[in-house]
């Protein structure tokens, strides 16, 4: 099973520690692209119009400044880096040992800076969205599309791909071929806040249940114990199954 998560806008930091070693992250094949993106975002963040270039508020000057120190800033595990509604609901720190081992294997955060990271990967805090168009590289979703297509199919294994990403991050990699038949987008009726919370609960429930579902219908059965669900087949080939999910 592969559970795809979006990153959070808010991120924790730490005052000291070793910096990110890109070659030691999961999917070392992405190192070259990671280096290009890190260099481009550092250049953009040093400009007077950095906030405009990154599509963020000028009030986020401290977050923008972090992007200029990516090579030296203390790194921390992705499990600790990302915060916010989804990650509060996921609550990795409270999982038992078996569920945490599954989370480390199954969870994958799609990142505008690092491409894809697992919970144990140590990375520096940053501020960058997949929707940004970086000078010299172009739209980041396009930059990552081919590199991610080379590594993520193997990461999916034989289980379902549970897609909890927003549309901005889903644009960076679309499962195709046989993978598309095992691709399930988690949709949550209602406001964005509740959608993030429910997706975090879904990811947690799957890690706790420990069932490596191989089909969309098997995935629905696993989640039906804790959620109201409705599974919809793709409208045409290449599109995902849609699992509408509401927490009880």
């Amino acid at each position: 099973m592969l559970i795809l998560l979006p990153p959070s806008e808010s991120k924790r930091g730490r005052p000291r520690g070793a910096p990110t070693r890109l070659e030691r992250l999961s999917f070392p094949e992405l190192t070259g692209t990671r280096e290009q993106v890190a260099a481009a975002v550092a250049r953009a963040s040093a400009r007077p119009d950095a906030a405009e270039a990154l599509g963020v508020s000028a009030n986020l000057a401290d977050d923008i400044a972090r992007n200029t120190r990516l090579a030296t800033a203390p790194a921390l595990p992705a499990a600790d880096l990302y915060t916010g509604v989804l990650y509060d609901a996921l609550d990795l720190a409270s999982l038992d040992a078996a569920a945490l081992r599954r989370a480390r294997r199954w969870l994958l955060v799609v990142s505008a800076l690092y491409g894809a990271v697992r919970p144990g990967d140590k990375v520096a805090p940053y501020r960058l969205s997949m929707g940004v168009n970086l000078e010299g590289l172009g739209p980041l979703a396009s930059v990552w599309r081919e590199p991610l297509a080379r590594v993520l199919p193997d990461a999916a294994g034989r289980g379902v791909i549970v897609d909890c990403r927003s549309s901005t991050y889903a644009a960076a990699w679309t499962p195709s071929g046989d993978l598309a038949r095992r691709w399930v987008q988690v949709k949550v009726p209602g406001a964005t806040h509740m959608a993030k919370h429910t997706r975090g609960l879904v990811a947690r429930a799957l890690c706790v249940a420990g069932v490596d579902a191989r089909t969309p219908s098997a995935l629905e059965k696993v989640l039906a114990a804790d959620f109201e669900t409705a599974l919809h087949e793709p409208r045409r080939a290449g599109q995902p199954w849609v699992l509408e999910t509401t927490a009880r």
Side-chain angles (χ1 to χ4, degrees), residues 174-183 185 232-242:
T174 301
S176 59
D178 178 64
L179 291 180
R181 292 187 281 273
R182 295 184 273 129
W183 176 26
Q185 282 189 340
H232 304 282
E233 294 187 14
R235 293 184 177 181
R236 59 178 181 270
Q239 290 190 327
W241 291 71
V242 173

Side-chain angles (χ1 to χ4, degrees), residues 14 98 135 201:
R14 62 170 42 160
E135 184 177 354
L201 293 178

Side-chain angles (χ1 to χ4, degrees), residues 217-233:
S217 59
L219 176 70
E220 183 184 24
K221 289 178 182 178
V222 174
L223 292 174
D226 299 305
F227 302 87
E228 297 291 341
T229 61
L231 183 63
H232 304 282
E233 294 187 14

Side-chain angles (χ1 to χ4, degrees), residues 153-180:
D154 286 342
R158 293 182 294 170
V160 293
I161 299 169
V162 184
D163 198 342
C164 296
R165 298 174 295 172
S166 64
S167 58
T168 301
Y169 286 86
W173 180 60
T174 301
S176 59
D178 178 64
L179 291 180

Side-chain angles (χ1 to χ4, degrees), residues 22-23 25-43 70 111-116 128 130 134 136-151 172:
L22 294 178
E23 72 279 4
L25 302 181
S26 300
F27 314 108
E29 302 93 330
L30 301 178
T31 299
T33 308
R34 288 165 172 159
E35 291 173 341
Q36 291 177 345
V37 175
V41 73
R43 290 194 300 269
L70 293 172
S111 161
L113 176 57
Y114 298 109
L128 185 64
M130 192 66 81
L134 281 179
L137 287 182
L140 285 173
S142 298
V143 170
W144 283 114
R145 196 165 293 134
E146 184 176 338
L148 291 179
R150 290 198 298 266
V151 300

Side-chain angles (χ1 to χ4, degrees), residues 9-248:
E9 291 185 355
S10 57
K11 300 173 183 70
R12 294 187 184 94
R14 62 170 42 160
R16 60 183 62 87
T20 304
R21 297 288 298 274
L22 294 178
E23 72 279 4
R24 293 186 180 181
L25 302 181
S26 300
F27 314 108
E29 302 93 330
L30 301 178
T31 299
T33 308
R34 288 165 172 159
E35 291 173 341
Q36 291 177 345
V37 175
V41 73
R43 290 194 300 269
S45 299
R47 289 164 37 180
D49 63 343
E52 182 179 355
L54 298 176
V56 300
S57 168
N59 295 329
L60 297 175
D62 289 344
D63 286 1
I64 295 170
R66 282 176 165 179
N67 290 343
T68 66
R69 302 189 294 269
L70 293 172
T72 58
L76 65 166
D80 300 327
L81 175 74
Y82 296 110
T83 65
V85 175
L86 187 152
Y87 289 91
D88 287 346
L90 175 57
D91 195 10
L92 286 173
S94 69
L95 292 176
D96 64 32
L100 186 57
R101 284 195 297 271
R102 289 188 286 269
R104 288 170 175 163
R105 293 197 313 269
W106 292 351
L107 297 180
L108 190 149
V109 181
V110 175
S111 161
L113 176 57
Y114 298 109
V117 293
R118 296 198 183 278
D121 287 325
K122 294 183 178 181
V123 291
Y126 63 96
R127 187 76 184 210
L128 185 64
S129 168
M130 192 66 81
V132 169
N133 186 332
L134 281 179
E135 184 177 354
L137 287 182
L140 285 173
S142 298
V143 170
W144 283 114
R145 196 165 293 134
E146 184 176 338
L148 291 179
R150 290 198 298 266
V151 300
L152 295 191
D154 286 342
R158 293 182 294 170
V160 293
I161 299 169
V162 184
D163 198 342
C164 296
R165 298 174 295 172
S166 64
S167 58
T168 301
Y169 286 86
W173 180 60
T174 301
S176 59
D178 178 64
L179 291 180
R181 292 187 281 273
R182 295 184 273 129
W183 176 26
V184 182
Q185 282 189 340
V186 177
K187 297 289 187 182
V188 183
T192 301
H193 180 93
M194 185 54 65
K196 291 179 179 178
H197 178 76
T198 303
R199 287 175 179 140
L201 293 178
V202 165
R204 179 183 177 86
L206 292 172
C207 293
V208 170
V211 178
D212 189 4
R214 300 299 175 89
T215 66
S217 59
L219 176 70
E220 183 184 24
K221 289 178 182 178
V222 174
L223 292 174
D226 299 305
F227 302 87
E228 297 291 341
T229 61
L231 183 63
H232 304 282
E233 294 187 14
R235 293 184 177 181
R236 59 178 181 270
Q239 290 190 327
W241 291 71
V242 173
L243 183 61
E244 293 185 354
T245 312
T246 305
R248 288 199 177 113

